[in-house]
Amino acid sequence: MIPVLLGIGALVGGYLVVTNWEEVTKWLQDFLPKIQEVLKSTGIGDYAAKLFSSIEDGALRLVHKLYYKENGKWIEKTTTREIDESQVPEWAKVGLSAKETDVTERYEKELELTV
């Protein structure tokens, strides 16, 4: 199971402030398929992922939470991206506040991705 942890750990985790919306969409387009491939290749069958978002102090936080089962225990890995609110399209800001909101379906639909 060590390779599983290393593979997922290399892709997930961390906090990054990005400068523009295109970086966020490119990150999601690259990141999500890689996560799914690592999980498939390592044989992890039980997993789920969600995207959460919030707006506070003029910045949008986008948080990817990956949950997977390893050795009978559920593990959570979190990756966070933050971007200046002025760079974010309106559809991504609708209904957000300082409280984390599940935006998985919205992003899947708008960006045509599978989280």
Side-chain angles (χ1 to χ4, degrees):
M1 274 305 182
I2 297 298
V4 173
L5 290 175
L6 293 175
I8 292 173
L11 292 173
V12 180
Y15 182 91
L16 182 66
V17 176
V18 293
T19 57
N20 63 54
W21 181 250
E22 287 75 29
E23 286 182 49
V24 171
T25 57
K26 182 169 177 14
W27 167 67
L28 286 170
Q29 291 166 340
D30 293 341
F31 173 74
L32 295 175
K34 286 178 184 174
I35 286 289
Q36 293 162 0
E37 184 59 37
V38 167
L39 291 168
K40 285 180 188 175
S41 69
T42 57
I44 292 178
D46 293 333
Y47 70 92
K50 289 282 192 178
L51 283 175
F52 297 91
S53 191
S54 61
I55 291 183
E56 190 171 6
D57 298 327
L60 179 133
R61 284 185 78 212
L62 185 62
V63 180
H64 179 269
K65 294 185 180 183
L66 172 67
Y67 307 90
Y68 61 95
K69 203 168 193 178
E70 184 173 72
N71 298 325
K73 295 182 182 179
W74 282 97
I75 309 294
E76 177 184 324
K77 297 286 185 176
T78 302
T79 305
T80 303
R81 297 294 184 262
E82 190 171 286
I83 184 169
D84 188 281
E85 184 179 354
S86 67
Q87 296 289 316
V88 180
E90 288 304 314
W91 67 261
K93 295 189 282 189
V94 172
L96 296 182
S97 66
K99 182 180 177 192
E100 232 177 48
T101 303
D102 184 345
V103 294
T104 306
E105 289 181 22
R106 180 187 315 181
Y107 276 69
E108 286 181 330
K109 180 181 175 185
E110 289 291 333
L111 300 178
E112 299 178 353
L113 296 168
T114 300
V115 175

